[in-house]
Amino acid sequence: MLTINGLTVRLGGRTILDRASASLPPKSRVGLIGRNGAGKSTLMKVMIGQLEADDGGIEMPRRTRVGYIAQEAPSGTATPFDTVLAADTERADLLAASETEQDPDKLADIHERLIAIDAYTAPARAARILIGLGFDEAMQGAPLDSFSGGWKMRVALAALLFSNPDLLLLDEPSNHLDLEATMWLESFLRAYPGQLVVISHERDLLNNVVDHILHLEGGKVTLYAGGYDAFERQRAERAAQLAAARAAQDAQRAKLQDYVARNSARASTAKQAQSRAKQLARMQPIAAISEDPSLVFDFPTPADELKPPLITLDLASVGYTPGEPVLRRLNLRIDPDDRIALLGRNGNGKTTLARLLAAQLKPEEGGMAFAGKMRVGYFTQYQVEELDGDDTPLGHMARVMTGKTPGAVRAQLGRFGFTGNKATTEVGKLSGGERARLALALITREAPHLLILDEPTNHLDVDAREALVQALNGFDGAVLIVSHDRHMLELSADRLVLVDDGTARDFDGSMDDYVAFILGKGAANDDAKSAPAKSKDAKLARQEAAKAREAQAVLRKTAKDHEARAGKLAQQMSAIDRAMFDPTGAEPALAKLTMSELSQRRGKLAAELETVEAAWMAALEAIEEAAA
């Protein structure tokens, strides 16, 4: 059992953990969650002894082998395969000893121990883990220094998993993984024999792997049984209970305050009033479950509608070096109402295809056609990293919205939660999630017809991801997403495109089909590179989802038209009111009318406004019903 006892940690004068306490059951799989900046990584660093607590501590059984990924990725001329094998230090020491030991009895003991720890199957286990994380045979034998930082962190993760510690600690393990490697990791962790504590914002991982949720908020930790969905249900029930308790307390407080106010001055009741006043002083306020009002994503709707298709690829090829295309014979059409998820392992060309569609690359061969006046908003992690830490969100937005009014600049920032002081806070002081929201605000400033989002969730917590999904589903343009967050893809995309084997093609199935295909559970045919058999039910479901979204788009446009008409009618009525009150300052056309004519015209406008507002309200109700 791992026990957190009254743990207090202060960093930079700020209390991160405040007398936090919890007991994690033996062999439990715990998801450590909380808003960005809540202190999750701090708590994990205390677990491994990297940080010293100011008070309290963490207890675990003696000789517990704790596994945690170091901050620095492995490097050098060693191969991923050798690096993973070396992570089992006992095996390495025993094998080295077996080469030099002369005593037959000691040598027998060494070989007996090697058999006990399953040392001779270690190479096969290491290879399986590396394959699961995306390393083919050639990559396993290449030097570490030939890989990018992200792939080196995969090697570090593979080494940690291979070392098989008693307590496995993982901090956002899927950040450097693609969807396929993330699904493999889930499968691996479900069968992990030791205790697991994982910091993650992946809803699917938190539902499929963990059996407890440790929620960190306000410096305190609360342990919930079950996965993330169970945590949400329990938290909602707790919120309702807290709200009821606060309402009861507020009523009691008001009653006591009223009694004290009415009876303090009367000698006969002064003593009772003093008693009530002491009760008020001792009454501790019940804290509400905190919500973040700045957690906002609101993509602007393109004012000019474009006819389909937005983009057409006709046997197009694209790459970075002339004569060496990454993708060939691309046939793809994107329409204004498309919601597309790009699938495929990292390195297969998803980002290359996204850059082609964003017009950052040109086809070497074949045809590519764009709808006239089409605007594209393209999000990548590089945009988050390249933000000027010394500048503010307001400064960033003002630079790219040259010529726009300060109100328009502020309005675009407000769509993504940057209001008040947040708009003038230095970017370097913003959280990773806030910087990602700023990047999204910047790339959507011109109300694009097509959003291309390449791993938009890397810095977002679970609540922020849900807010992003809702915003995408309310967006009237087309969306193309690359993400390792399966939950987000399932809720946001109704068309799957597999980028594999040097080309891209529609994957005719659901996300469940794709998971089965990747994990080899029978959904694929005998050819490992071919798509699974068609899923008529999944295809029908996607078609129905597209129809429903199209119907919602029609309703939103209808509501928008009614709103605009209501605004114009209200302006016309205001102009008539001014003319009736002050004829000398009236508009020329209205100044010519008599009071009776003005009154009649106003009556007609009022009647029309009532009809339009009723239609507007009906459209809004229809939108809510369709979304339910």
PDB file of all heavy atoms in Angstrom, residues 340-368:
ATOM      1  N   ILE A 340     -13.034  15.041 -40.422  1.00  0.00           N
ATOM      2  CA  ILE A 340     -12.114  13.981 -40.811  1.00  0.00           C
ATOM      3  C   ILE A 340     -11.054  13.778 -39.743  1.00  0.00           C
ATOM      4  O   ILE A 340     -10.459  14.736 -39.243  1.00  0.00           O
ATOM      5  CB  ILE A 340     -11.430  14.320 -42.152  1.00  0.00           C
ATOM      6  CG1 ILE A 340     -12.473  14.485 -43.259  1.00  0.00           C
ATOM      7  CG2 ILE A 340     -10.420  13.251 -42.540  1.00  0.00           C
ATOM      8  CD1 ILE A 340     -11.903  14.996 -44.558  1.00  0.00           C
ATOM      9  N   ALA A 341     -10.792  12.512 -39.378  1.00  0.00           N
ATOM     10  CA  ALA A 341      -9.669  12.152 -38.523  1.00  0.00           C
ATOM     11  C   ALA A 341      -8.628  11.449 -39.381  1.00  0.00           C
ATOM     12  O   ALA A 341      -8.953  10.500 -40.097  1.00  0.00           O
ATOM     13  CB  ALA A 341     -10.117  11.238 -37.387  1.00  0.00           C
ATOM     14  N   LEU A 342      -7.383  11.920 -39.335  1.00  0.00           N
ATOM     15  CA  LEU A 342      -6.287  11.250 -40.037  1.00  0.00           C
ATOM     16  C   LEU A 342      -5.680  10.213 -39.108  1.00  0.00           C
ATOM     17  O   LEU A 342      -5.245  10.529 -37.998  1.00  0.00           O
ATOM     18  CB  LEU A 342      -5.213  12.262 -40.457  1.00  0.00           C
ATOM     19  CG  LEU A 342      -5.574  13.277 -41.537  1.00  0.00           C
ATOM     20  CD1 LEU A 342      -4.333  14.058 -41.961  1.00  0.00           C
ATOM     21  CD2 LEU A 342      -6.208  12.621 -42.738  1.00  0.00           C
ATOM     22  N   LEU A 343      -5.650   8.968 -39.553  1.00  0.00           N
ATOM     23  CA  LEU A 343      -5.120   7.863 -38.770  1.00  0.00           C
ATOM     24  C   LEU A 343      -3.819   7.380 -39.396  1.00  0.00           C
ATOM     25  O   LEU A 343      -3.556   7.599 -40.569  1.00  0.00           O
ATOM     26  CB  LEU A 343      -6.125   6.710 -38.721  1.00  0.00           C
ATOM     27  CG  LEU A 343      -7.549   7.054 -38.272  1.00  0.00           C
ATOM     28  CD1 LEU A 343      -8.431   5.822 -38.368  1.00  0.00           C
ATOM     29  CD2 LEU A 343      -7.549   7.607 -36.853  1.00  0.00           C
ATOM     30  N   GLY A 344      -3.016   6.664 -38.625  1.00  0.00           N
ATOM     31  CA  GLY A 344      -1.762   6.122 -39.124  1.00  0.00           C
ATOM     32  C   GLY A 344      -0.629   6.427 -38.169  1.00  0.00           C
ATOM     33  O   GLY A 344      -0.645   7.426 -37.450  1.00  0.00           O
ATOM     34  N   ARG A 345       0.370   5.562 -38.148  1.00  0.00           N
ATOM     35  CA  ARG A 345       1.495   5.744 -37.240  1.00  0.00           C
ATOM     36  C   ARG A 345       2.298   6.990 -37.587  1.00  0.00           C
ATOM     37  O   ARG A 345       2.319   7.428 -38.733  1.00  0.00           O
ATOM     38  CB  ARG A 345       2.422   4.516 -37.290  1.00  0.00           C
ATOM     39  CG  ARG A 345       1.839   3.295 -36.590  1.00  0.00           C
ATOM     40  CD  ARG A 345       2.895   2.234 -36.389  1.00  0.00           C
ATOM     41  NE  ARG A 345       2.373   1.100 -35.638  1.00  0.00           N
ATOM     42  CZ  ARG A 345       2.310   1.038 -34.315  1.00  0.00           C
ATOM     43  NH1 ARG A 345       2.724   2.056 -33.593  1.00  0.00           N
ATOM     44  NH2 ARG A 345       1.839  -0.028 -33.715  1.00  0.00           N
ATOM     45  N   ASN A 346       2.976   7.526 -36.569  1.00  0.00           N
ATOM     46  CA  ASN A 346       3.879   8.656 -36.804  1.00  0.00           C
ATOM     47  C   ASN A 346       4.927   8.253 -37.830  1.00  0.00           C
ATOM     48  O   ASN A 346       5.469   7.138 -37.786  1.00  0.00           O
ATOM     49  CB  ASN A 346       4.567   9.074 -35.503  1.00  0.00           C
ATOM     50  CG  ASN A 346       3.667   9.910 -34.624  1.00  0.00           C
ATOM     51  OD1 ASN A 346       2.550  10.254 -34.992  1.00  0.00           O
ATOM     52  ND2 ASN A 346       4.151  10.247 -33.437  1.00  0.00           N
ATOM     53  N   GLY A 347       5.213   9.161 -38.749  1.00  0.00           N
ATOM     54  CA  GLY A 347       6.187   8.864 -39.790  1.00  0.00           C
ATOM     55  C   GLY A 347       5.576   8.379 -41.082  1.00  0.00           C
ATOM     56  O   GLY A 347       6.265   8.261 -42.100  1.00  0.00           O
ATOM     57  N   ASN A 348       4.262   8.089 -41.050  1.00  0.00           N
ATOM     58  CA  ASN A 348       3.599   7.609 -42.264  1.00  0.00           C
ATOM     59  C   ASN A 348       3.157   8.733 -43.191  1.00  0.00           C
ATOM     60  O   ASN A 348       2.799   8.463 -44.337  1.00  0.00           O
ATOM     61  CB  ASN A 348       2.384   6.743 -41.897  1.00  0.00           C
ATOM     62  CG  ASN A 348       2.778   5.340 -41.485  1.00  0.00           C
ATOM     63  OD1 ASN A 348       3.966   5.028 -41.418  1.00  0.00           O
ATOM     64  ND2 ASN A 348       1.802   4.507 -41.197  1.00  0.00           N
ATOM     65  N   GLY A 349       3.129   9.984 -42.699  1.00  0.00           N
ATOM     66  CA  GLY A 349       2.821  11.096 -43.583  1.00  0.00           C
ATOM     67  C   GLY A 349       1.590  11.901 -43.219  1.00  0.00           C
ATOM     68  O   GLY A 349       1.116  12.694 -44.038  1.00  0.00           O
ATOM     69  N   LYS A 350       1.050  11.754 -41.988  1.00  0.00           N
ATOM     70  CA  LYS A 350      -0.149  12.514 -41.616  1.00  0.00           C
ATOM     71  C   LYS A 350       0.130  14.019 -41.647  1.00  0.00           C
ATOM     72  O   LYS A 350      -0.660  14.796 -42.192  1.00  0.00           O
ATOM     73  CB  LYS A 350      -0.632  12.103 -40.216  1.00  0.00           C
ATOM     74  CG  LYS A 350      -1.074  10.663 -40.095  1.00  0.00           C
ATOM     75  CD  LYS A 350      -1.764  10.387 -38.775  1.00  0.00           C
ATOM     76  CE  LYS A 350      -0.892  10.663 -37.572  1.00  0.00           C
ATOM     77  NZ  LYS A 350       0.254   9.730 -37.464  1.00  0.00           N
ATOM     78  N   THR A 351       1.249  14.434 -41.047  1.00  0.00           N
ATOM     79  CA  THR A 351       1.578  15.858 -41.031  1.00  0.00           C
ATOM     80  C   THR A 351       1.885  16.365 -42.434  1.00  0.00           C
ATOM     81  O   THR A 351       1.542  17.502 -42.778  1.00  0.00           O
ATOM     82  CB  THR A 351       2.775  16.114 -40.091  1.00  0.00           C
ATOM     83  OG1 THR A 351       2.383  15.780 -38.740  1.00  0.00           O
ATOM     84  CG2 THR A 351       3.208  17.568 -40.125  1.00  0.00           C
ATOM     85  N   THR A 352       2.500  15.526 -43.256  1.00  0.00           N
ATOM     86  CA  THR A 352       2.770  15.921 -44.643  1.00  0.00           C
ATOM     87  C   THR A 352       1.460  16.198 -45.383  1.00  0.00           C
ATOM     88  O   THR A 352       1.332  17.206 -46.094  1.00  0.00           O
ATOM     89  CB  THR A 352       3.556  14.808 -45.366  1.00  0.00           C
ATOM     90  OG1 THR A 352       4.785  14.572 -44.681  1.00  0.00           O
ATOM     91  CG2 THR A 352       3.851  15.199 -46.803  1.00  0.00           C
ATOM     92  N   LEU A 353       0.469  15.320 -45.198  1.00  0.00           N
ATOM     93  CA  LEU A 353      -0.827  15.531 -45.839  1.00  0.00           C
ATOM     94  C   LEU A 353      -1.497  16.788 -45.289  1.00  0.00           C
ATOM     95  O   LEU A 353      -2.085  17.579 -46.047  1.00  0.00           O
ATOM     96  CB  LEU A 353      -1.723  14.310 -45.618  1.00  0.00           C
ATOM     97  CG  LEU A 353      -3.141  14.397 -46.200  1.00  0.00           C
ATOM     98  CD1 LEU A 353      -3.108  14.705 -47.695  1.00  0.00           C
ATOM     99  CD2 LEU A 353      -3.904  13.103 -45.925  1.00  0.00           C
ATOM    100  N   ALA A 354      -1.403  16.999 -43.988  1.00  0.00           N
ATOM    101  CA  ALA A 354      -2.001  18.197 -43.388  1.00  0.00           C
ATOM    102  C   ALA A 354      -1.357  19.458 -43.955  1.00  0.00           C
ATOM    103  O   ALA A 354      -2.048  20.439 -44.264  1.00  0.00           O
ATOM    104  CB  ALA A 354      -1.838  18.158 -41.871  1.00  0.00           C
ATOM    105  N   ARG A 355      -0.052  19.460 -44.118  1.00  0.00           N
ATOM    106  CA  ARG A 355       0.641  20.631 -44.660  1.00  0.00           C
ATOM    107  C   ARG A 355       0.279  20.858 -46.130  1.00  0.00           C
ATOM    108  O   ARG A 355       0.199  22.005 -46.580  1.00  0.00           O
ATOM    109  CB  ARG A 355       2.154  20.469 -44.507  1.00  0.00           C
ATOM    110  CG  ARG A 355       2.636  20.495 -43.055  1.00  0.00           C
ATOM    111  CD  ARG A 355       4.143  20.549 -42.982  1.00  0.00           C
ATOM    112  NE  ARG A 355       4.639  21.795 -43.570  1.00  0.00           N
ATOM    113  CZ  ARG A 355       5.929  22.040 -43.799  1.00  0.00           C
ATOM    114  NH1 ARG A 355       6.842  21.126 -43.484  1.00  0.00           N
ATOM    115  NH2 ARG A 355       6.306  23.177 -44.335  1.00  0.00           N
ATOM    116  N   LEU A 356       0.066  19.775 -46.865  1.00  0.00           N
ATOM    117  CA  LEU A 356      -0.373  19.917 -48.258  1.00  0.00           C
ATOM    118  C   LEU A 356      -1.745  20.587 -48.312  1.00  0.00           C
ATOM    119  O   LEU A 356      -1.972  21.518 -49.094  1.00  0.00           O
ATOM    120  CB  LEU A 356      -0.423  18.546 -48.932  1.00  0.00           C
ATOM    121  CG  LEU A 356      -1.002  18.494 -50.354  1.00  0.00           C
ATOM    122  CD1 LEU A 356      -0.099  19.257 -51.328  1.00  0.00           C
ATOM    123  CD2 LEU A 356      -1.187  17.048 -50.814  1.00  0.00           C
ATOM    124  N   LEU A 357      -2.670  20.126 -47.466  1.00  0.00           N
ATOM    125  CA  LEU A 357      -4.026  20.678 -47.458  1.00  0.00           C
ATOM    126  C   LEU A 357      -4.045  22.114 -46.949  1.00  0.00           C
ATOM    127  O   LEU A 357      -4.945  22.887 -47.286  1.00  0.00           O
ATOM    128  CB  LEU A 357      -4.936  19.798 -46.598  1.00  0.00           C
ATOM    129  CG  LEU A 357      -5.126  18.360 -47.109  1.00  0.00           C
ATOM    130  CD1 LEU A 357      -5.898  17.528 -46.099  1.00  0.00           C
ATOM    131  CD2 LEU A 357      -5.839  18.358 -48.453  1.00  0.00           C
ATOM    132  N   ALA A 358      -3.051  22.473 -46.128  1.00  0.00           N
ATOM    133  CA  ALA A 358      -2.949  23.843 -45.623  1.00  0.00           C
ATOM    134  C   ALA A 358      -2.173  24.741 -46.582  1.00  0.00           C
ATOM    135  O   ALA A 358      -1.915  25.909 -46.262  1.00  0.00           O
ATOM    136  CB  ALA A 358      -2.278  23.851 -44.259  1.00  0.00           C
ATOM    137  N   ALA A 359      -1.797  24.196 -47.752  1.00  0.00           N
ATOM    138  CA  ALA A 359      -1.065  24.934 -48.791  1.00  0.00           C
ATOM    139  C   ALA A 359       0.335  25.330 -48.348  1.00  0.00           C
ATOM    140  O   ALA A 359       0.924  26.266 -48.904  1.00  0.00           O
ATOM    141  CB  ALA A 359      -1.850  26.167 -49.239  1.00  0.00           C
ATOM    142  N   GLN A 360       0.896  24.625 -47.357  1.00  0.00           N
ATOM    143  CA  GLN A 360       2.291  24.856 -46.981  1.00  0.00           C
ATOM    144  C   GLN A 360       3.236  24.045 -47.856  1.00  0.00           C
ATOM    145  O   GLN A 360       4.441  24.317 -47.907  1.00  0.00           O
ATOM    146  CB  GLN A 360       2.509  24.520 -45.507  1.00  0.00           C
ATOM    147  CG  GLN A 360       1.830  25.475 -44.551  1.00  0.00           C
ATOM    148  CD  GLN A 360       2.292  25.286 -43.122  1.00  0.00           C
ATOM    149  OE1 GLN A 360       3.101  24.406 -42.817  1.00  0.00           O
ATOM    150  NE2 GLN A 360       1.789  26.116 -42.224  1.00  0.00           N
ATOM    151  N   LEU A 361       2.710  23.007 -48.507  1.00  0.00           N
ATOM    152  CA  LEU A 361       3.463  22.217 -49.481  1.00  0.00           C
ATOM    153  C   LEU A 361       2.674  22.203 -50.787  1.00  0.00           C
ATOM    154  O   LEU A 361       1.439  22.300 -50.776  1.00  0.00           O
ATOM    155  CB  LEU A 361       3.669  20.778 -48.986  1.00  0.00           C
ATOM    156  CG  LEU A 361       4.547  20.574 -47.751  1.00  0.00           C
ATOM    157  CD1 LEU A 361       4.511  19.104 -47.335  1.00  0.00           C
ATOM    158  CD2 LEU A 361       5.978  21.016 -48.015  1.00  0.00           C
ATOM    159  N   LYS A 362       3.399  22.055 -51.902  1.00  0.00           N
ATOM    160  CA  LYS A 362       2.752  21.968 -53.207  1.00  0.00           C
ATOM    161  C   LYS A 362       2.932  20.555 -53.759  1.00  0.00           C
ATOM    162  O   LYS A 362       3.972  19.924 -53.539  1.00  0.00           O
ATOM    163  CB  LYS A 362       3.354  22.985 -54.172  1.00  0.00           C
ATOM    164  CG  LYS A 362       3.092  24.429 -53.783  1.00  0.00           C
ATOM    165  CD  LYS A 362       3.688  25.379 -54.803  1.00  0.00           C
ATOM    166  CE  LYS A 362       3.394  26.835 -54.436  1.00  0.00           C
ATOM    167  NZ  LYS A 362       3.973  27.777 -55.425  1.00  0.00           N
ATOM    168  N   PRO A 363       1.939  20.046 -54.478  1.00  0.00           N
ATOM    169  CA  PRO A 363       2.084  18.700 -55.054  1.00  0.00           C
ATOM    170  C   PRO A 363       3.163  18.682 -56.134  1.00  0.00           C
ATOM    171  O   PRO A 363       3.279  19.633 -56.924  1.00  0.00           O
ATOM    172  CB  PRO A 363       0.696  18.415 -55.631  1.00  0.00           C
ATOM    173  CG  PRO A 363       0.074  19.755 -55.846  1.00  0.00           C
ATOM    174  CD  PRO A 363       0.637  20.649 -54.798  1.00  0.00           C
ATOM    175  N   GLU A 364       3.958  17.619 -56.148  1.00  0.00           N
ATOM    176  CA  GLU A 364       4.959  17.456 -57.196  1.00  0.00           C
ATOM    177  C   GLU A 364       4.308  16.967 -58.483  1.00  0.00           C
ATOM    178  O   GLU A 364       4.741  17.320 -59.577  1.00  0.00           O
ATOM    179  CB  GLU A 364       6.029  16.453 -56.750  1.00  0.00           C
ATOM    180  CG  GLU A 364       6.890  16.934 -55.597  1.00  0.00           C
ATOM    181  CD  GLU A 364       7.951  15.909 -55.227  1.00  0.00           C
ATOM    182  OE1 GLU A 364       8.156  14.955 -56.003  1.00  0.00           O
ATOM    183  OE2 GLU A 364       8.574  16.063 -54.168  1.00  0.00           O
ATOM    184  N   GLU A 365       3.307  16.134 -58.327  1.00  0.00           N
ATOM    185  CA  GLU A 365       2.599  15.593 -59.475  1.00  0.00           C
ATOM    186  C   GLU A 365       1.108  15.607 -59.179  1.00  0.00           C
ATOM    187  O   GLU A 365       0.683  15.742 -58.031  1.00  0.00           O
ATOM    188  CB  GLU A 365       3.046  14.148 -59.764  1.00  0.00           C
ATOM    189  CG  GLU A 365       4.516  13.996 -60.129  1.00  0.00           C
ATOM    190  CD  GLU A 365       4.883  12.541 -60.338  1.00  0.00           C
ATOM    191  OE1 GLU A 365       4.014  11.661 -60.096  1.00  0.00           O
ATOM    192  OE2 GLU A 365       6.026  12.260 -60.740  1.00  0.00           O
ATOM    193  N   GLY A 366       0.307  15.430 -60.226  1.00  0.00           N
ATOM    194  CA  GLY A 366      -1.132  15.356 -60.055  1.00  0.00           C
ATOM    195  C   GLY A 366      -1.752  16.724 -59.849  1.00  0.00           C
ATOM    196  O   GLY A 366      -1.096  17.766 -59.944  1.00  0.00           O
ATOM    197  N   GLY A 367      -3.053  16.714 -59.555  1.00  0.00           N
ATOM    198  CA  GLY A 367      -3.790  17.952 -59.438  1.00  0.00           C
ATOM    199  C   GLY A 367      -4.260  18.241 -58.031  1.00  0.00           C
ATOM    200  O   GLY A 367      -4.478  17.335 -57.224  1.00  0.00           O
ATOM    201  N   MET A 368      -4.422  19.534 -57.738  1.00  0.00           N
ATOM    202  CA  MET A 368      -4.944  19.979 -56.453  1.00  0.00           C
ATOM    203  C   MET A 368      -5.724  21.269 -56.694  1.00  0.00           C
ATOM    204  O   MET A 368      -5.190  22.232 -57.236  1.00  0.00           O
ATOM    205  CB  MET A 368      -3.822  20.215 -55.447  1.00  0.00           C
ATOM    206  CG  MET A 368      -4.286  20.661 -54.075  1.00  0.00           C
ATOM    207  SD  MET A 368      -2.908  20.738 -52.912  1.00  0.00           S
ATOM    208  CE  MET A 368      -3.767  21.205 -51.412  1.00  0.00           C
TER     209      MET A 368
END
